[in-house]
């Protein structure tokens, strides 16, 4: 920034910092809101970490649990309202975009917190165990299974367009619910691991102070998780982020067709004609992605661009013919990925 110009690294830094600020704002505000709702519903104020005493945790009625989960439904509806209002704004300012993003995070996190504590109240009231660690693991397992099943169903609904091909509101609601359920799974296991760390640290109190034992466990966890994140998750995240751009999407298409051509090349039974056609198709997508001219542009007037195949000599479509075929809906068959697919010539 000394030269008053942002390079790629500075832009990524600002982007990630802004995203982190939005997440922290939504997370902290939603947690405090749900804390207040829990106190308003049950009359019991949790501590700063959202933890209640054991006697308070098992004392909640079903009505209180349902009220808190109902608050989650309200958060969900409000998140849809924010989503729709965002679509109505044609060119929102940068400040407005950040405000909308924080509100989205706030309502999504609020949905997850409400569902988590509502289910926690309900399962705790069953009093099937006196072990807090076992209780938290049971809650995490229950929420994980239930959430994964719901995510699977919602994903199938969205993929099959059961709400209609152009139902943006329904798709937005589905994506918002899937996001909330994913965060809910994270919350449940975070609480479970936090409780487990406290139990282990308390058990080692005679040999090691709890602060030291917690620090050692944190370091061990980072040593295990960080390499896996750096080697596998981060490159995948960067690749997915790149595919969100127009250039990245074109590269993704090229990679797909290159992989298909590679698969065809390895098939022993595949004939040469299929490989020739597949190669021409891959070259066409390469020209489209990079904005290159068709080789037919270099053919003098009166000459034809021909291709020799096992079935004879065929004319390769020139650019103007290609556009004319697309306009009139003329299609030809090209073999790709072990199957015959109909694509515009």
């Amino acid at each position: 920034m000394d030269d008053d110009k942002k390079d790629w690294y500075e832009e990524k830094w600002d982007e990630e910092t802004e995203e982190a600020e939005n997440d922290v704002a939504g997370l902290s505000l939603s947690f405090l809101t749900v804390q207040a709702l829990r106190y308003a519903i049950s009359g019991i104020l949790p501590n700063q970490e959202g933890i209640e005493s054991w006697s308070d945790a098992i004392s909640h009625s079903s009505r209180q649990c349902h009220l808190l989960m109902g608050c989650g439904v309200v958060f969900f509806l409000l998140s849809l309202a924010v989503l729709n209002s965002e679509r109505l704004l044609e060119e929102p300012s940068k400040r407005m975009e950040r405000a909308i993003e924080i509100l989205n995070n706030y309502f999504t996190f609020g949905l997850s917190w409400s569902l988590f504590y509502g289910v926690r109240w309900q399962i705790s009231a069953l009093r099937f165990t006196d072990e807090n660690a076992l209780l938290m693991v049971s809650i995490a397992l229950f929420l994980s299974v239930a959430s994964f099943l719901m995510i699977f169903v919602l994903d199938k609904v969205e993929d099959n367009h059961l709400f209609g091909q152009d139902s943006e509101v329904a798709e937005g609601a589905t994506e918002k619910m899937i996001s909330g359920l994913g965060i809910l799974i994270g919350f449940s296991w975070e609480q479970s691991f936090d409780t487990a760390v406290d139990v282990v640290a308390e058990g080692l109190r005679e040999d090691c102070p709890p602060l030291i034992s917690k620090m050692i466990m944190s370091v061990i966890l980072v040593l295990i998780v960080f390499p896996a994140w750096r080697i596998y998750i981060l490159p995948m995240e960067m690749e997915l982020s790149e595919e969100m751009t127009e250039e990245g999407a074109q590269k993704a298409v090229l990679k797909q067709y290159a992989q298909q051509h590679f698969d065809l090349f390895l098939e022993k039974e595949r004939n040469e004609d299929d490989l020739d056609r597949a190669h021409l198709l891959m070259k066409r997508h390469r020209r489209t992605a990079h904005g290159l001219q068709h080789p037919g542009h270099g053919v003098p007037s009166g000459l034809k661009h021909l291709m020799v195949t096992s079935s004879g000599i065929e004319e390769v479509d020139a650019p103007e013919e290609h556009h004319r075929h697309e306009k009139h809906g003329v299609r030809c068959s090209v073999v790709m990925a072990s199957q015959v697919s109909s694509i515009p010539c």
Side-chain angles (χ1 to χ4, degrees):
M1 292 295 291
D2 294 338
D3 55 358
D4 294 329
K5 294 181 181 179
K6 286 186 178 181
D7 58 20
W8 183 84
Y9 295 100
E10 291 170 338
E11 289 179 355
K12 294 300 292 183
W13 173 269
D14 290 343
E15 179 182 331
E16 295 299 325
T17 302
E18 181 178 314
E19 183 178 353
E21 291 174 350
N22 295 342
D23 289 341
V24 170
L27 181 64
S28 57
L29 290 173
S30 62
F31 179 75
L32 293 175
T33 302
V34 174
Q35 287 277 81
L37 290 173
R38 292 170 64 189
Y39 177 69
I41 293 173
S42 66
I44 300 172
L45 181 63
N47 65 10
Q48 65 272 19
E49 296 182 1
I51 300 175
E52 300 171 327
S53 65
W54 182 258
S55 59
D56 291 335
I58 62 177
S59 65
H60 299 290
S61 63
S62 297
R63 179 178 176 276
Q64 292 175 344
C65 301
H66 296 157
L67 282 175
L68 187 55
M69 286 188 280
C71 292
V73 176
V74 174
F75 277 117
F76 173 67
L77 296 176
L78 291 174
S79 68
L80 293 184
V82 173
L83 184 64
N84 291 330
S85 64
E86 182 181 6
R87 291 172 177 168
L88 295 177
L89 298 175
E90 295 182 356
E91 295 183 0
S93 62
K94 185 68 175 178
R95 182 171 297 181
M96 180 61 69
E97 287 182 353
R98 288 204 66 180
I100 291 175
E101 182 65 25
I102 292 174
L103 279 176
N104 267 323
N105 292 339
Y106 171 69
F107 291 129
T108 303
F109 287 135
L111 164 66
S112 302
W113 284 124
S114 299
L115 293 179
F116 171 72
Y117 284 114
V119 172
R120 180 174 176 176
W121 281 0
Q122 189 71 67
I123 295 180
S124 299
L126 298 177
R127 306 183 184 185
F128 70 93
T129 180
D130 294 332
E131 294 289 339
N132 196 31
L134 178 59
L135 175 65
M136 297 307 300
V137 171
S138 301
I139 294 172
L141 287 173
F142 172 79
L143 288 174
S144 297
V145 172
S147 298
F148 278 128
L149 289 176
M150 291 186 65
I151 289 173
F152 178 79
V153 173
L154 291 172
D155 186 59
K156 290 297 182 183
V157 168
E158 186 175 7
D159 290 343
N160 294 316
H161 302 287
L162 297 183
F163 295 118
Q165 292 287 343
D166 301 323
S167 182
E168 294 185 1
V169 176
E171 289 186 0
T174 302
E175 293 175 359
K176 185 64 65 175
M177 178 59 73
I178 291 175
S179 176
L181 291 173
I183 296 171
L184 175 61
I185 296 173
F187 283 166
S188 62
W189 283 107
E190 186 276 331
Q191 294 281 319
S192 178
F193 278 103
D194 185 55
T195 303
V197 168
D198 289 338
V199 171
V200 172
E202 191 63 29
L204 298 175
R205 177 180 290 274
E206 296 182 359
D207 301 322
C208 181
L211 290 177
I212 301 299
S213 59
K214 288 183 179 181
M215 183 186 69
I216 294 174
M217 285 186 282
S218 299
V219 171
I220 294 175
L221 181 62
V222 170
L223 292 176
I224 295 174
V225 174
F226 180 78
W229 172 83
R230 179 63 181 84
I231 297 173
Y232 300 105
I233 298 179
L234 181 60
M236 185 179 298
E237 171 64 23
M238 294 179 66
E239 183 178 351
L240 292 175
S241 298
E242 184 182 5
E243 289 181 2
M244 297 298 292
T245 64
E246 183 177 355
E247 182 180 357
Q250 292 175 346
K251 288 183 179 180
V253 172
L254 287 179
K255 289 180 181 179
Q256 177 185 358
Y257 279 97
Q259 182 62 43
Q260 290 177 343
H261 187 63
F262 177 76
D263 294 338
L264 287 176
F265 186 78
L266 294 180
E267 293 182 13
K268 182 179 179 180
E269 296 79 10
R270 184 65 61 182
N271 59 58
E272 295 288 333
D273 185 45
D274 293 341
L275 292 177
D276 291 338
R277 292 179 181 276
H279 184 67
L280 287 174
L281 180 62
M282 185 174 63
K283 288 170 61 178
R284 177 183 300 166
H285 283 279
R286 177 178 176 271
R287 291 194 299 269
T288 302
H290 297 295
L292 303 176
Q293 287 188 340
H294 191 281
H297 281 287
V299 178
S301 177
L303 299 181
K304 295 182 178 180
H305 186 196
L306 302 177
M307 173 181 65
V308 179
T309 69
S310 59
S311 56
I313 299 177
E314 301 178 3
E315 182 178 359
V316 179
D317 57 326
E320 59 274 7
E321 294 177 345
H322 172 57
H323 293 307
R324 187 173 69 252
H325 291 340
E326 285 187 339
K327 181 177 180 181
H328 294 287
V330 179
R331 306 177 74 86
C332 69
S333 295
V334 178
V335 178
M336 285 297 291
S338 304
Q339 62 181 358
V340 178
S341 59
S342 182
I343 65 167
C345 281

